[in-house]
Amino acid sequence: MTQHRIAVAARKGGVGKTTVACGLASVLASQGQRVLVVDLDPQSNAAYVLGVDPTAPGTAELLSGASPQPQEAAPSLYVLPGGPNLSGHNIQALDPEDLADVVAPLAYDALVFDCPPGIEHLERLGVVAADVALVCTNAHPLALVGARRVLNELKQRQQKGRRGAQRWAVVLTMIDLRRSMDQALDKQVAESYPTIKRLTVHQDTAISWAGAERVPIMQYEPNSKGAKDLQAIVEWMLNG
């Protein structure tokens, strides 16, 4: 039985969400946990970044009743690719709780759902299947708007007593404190959401190169600044 189910979401693209999802999975696997990344993105970026075949059968086939074989990206780290079949009418017609139901019997210590930007019904499948949600934003104004929409949905589901993540945090991504907008981001989020935990992943070339070379970050550069940021997020998820 899966002990941890984590959704990583950002309504806007290009904020480093997939990097965070894959990085957290790499950290968890390095700690000896058996981890499955469920790629909900029609672009299959998580599968690509983790170095497996992004065109192989994956999440769409699982949601359609098949039993696709997860691909091994590293010891204890497995991936179900996304892909264009996630845009099909049969997937769009799913109940928001269907993903939660189909992953329930999977034998992993942790599931990481990489939710796509701008496709709300796929994002909803992920956050409903999760018990923890991480909402990513960088200092771009539209990224903050997207994060606000995800946070509002999480809050509404909780208030209505619906299935889904009951604990969440905002992850400030791609942070470079030499930039004034990045310096102001933490204060801005703190003022808007004073009771929500804020976590940070700094801009780090090691993370960028790991993605470019399609190697999980804990195998590429485990002592990099970005890897340590991701380890701190895992610490909050498990013990915070």
Side-chain angles (χ1 to χ4, degrees):
M1 180 177 177
T2 303
Q3 296 185 3
H4 306 291
R5 300 183 300 277
I6 304 131
V8 184
R11 200 64 61 88
K12 182 183 179 301
V15 302
K17 170 191 58 60
T18 295
T19 297
V20 170
C22 295
L24 296 176
S26 180
V27 172
L28 287 162
S30 74
Q31 295 176 351
Q33 301 204 44
R34 181 176 163 86
V35 184
L36 176 65
V37 175
V38 180
D39 190 345
L40 285 161
D41 192 336
Q43 298 183 75
S44 207
N45 287 339
Y48 180 85
V49 166
L50 289 171
V52 302
D53 180 2
T55 67
T59 307
E61 287 70 23
L62 179 71
L63 286 165
S64 300
S67 300
Q69 184 66 39
Q71 299 179 69
E72 185 173 11
S76 298
L77 175 53
Y78 300 85
V79 185
L80 274 177
N85 288 342
L86 285 168
S87 301
H89 293 300
N90 62 321
I91 302 298
Q92 294 179 39
L94 291 173
D95 184 272
E97 297 189 4
D98 280 353
L99 178 60
D101 290 337
V102 299
V103 300
L106 299 181
Y108 290 88
D109 299 313
L111 300 177
V112 179
F113 305 103
D114 184 31
C115 303
I119 309 177
E120 294 181 26
H121 72 279
L122 291 174
E123 176 191 276
R124 189 169 297 117
L125 289 170
V127 298
V128 171
D131 49 31
V132 175
L134 299 170
V135 182
C136 299
T137 182
N138 61 9
H140 194 289
L142 293 180
L144 286 167
V145 171
R148 183 180 305 120
R149 289 173 177 165
V150 180
L151 291 167
N152 286 342
E153 172 145 354
L154 288 165
K155 183 178 179 180
Q156 289 174 11
R157 292 195 67 84
Q158 187 182 61
Q159 289 175 337
K160 293 177 181 177
R162 293 180 177 171
R163 191 173 181 177
Q166 297 300 307
R167 194 163 66 99
W168 50 82
V170 175
V171 181
L172 312 178
T173 57
M174 308 164 76
I175 296 301
D176 184 343
L177 293 176
R178 294 171 297 183
R179 299 187 293 237
S180 59
M181 289 186 69
D182 288 18
Q183 293 173 12
L185 180 61
D186 184 67
K187 180 180 180 182
Q188 186 174 356
V189 173
E191 290 176 349
S192 299
Y193 306 102
T195 63
I196 297 178
K197 178 70 174 179
R198 302 181 307 285
L199 302 157
T200 299
V201 177
H202 294 86
Q203 187 80 43
D204 184 1
T205 56
I207 290 182
S208 301
W209 276 111
E213 298 191 14
R214 307 182 65 193
V215 178
I217 185 63
M218 294 303 288
Q219 291 192 315
Y220 187 85
E221 184 50 78
N223 295 316
S224 63
K225 179 187 293 184
K228 293 185 182 302
D229 289 340
L230 292 163
Q231 291 173 61
I233 295 175
V234 167
E235 174 66 22
W236 174 81
M237 289 193 306
L238 301 183
N239 303 309

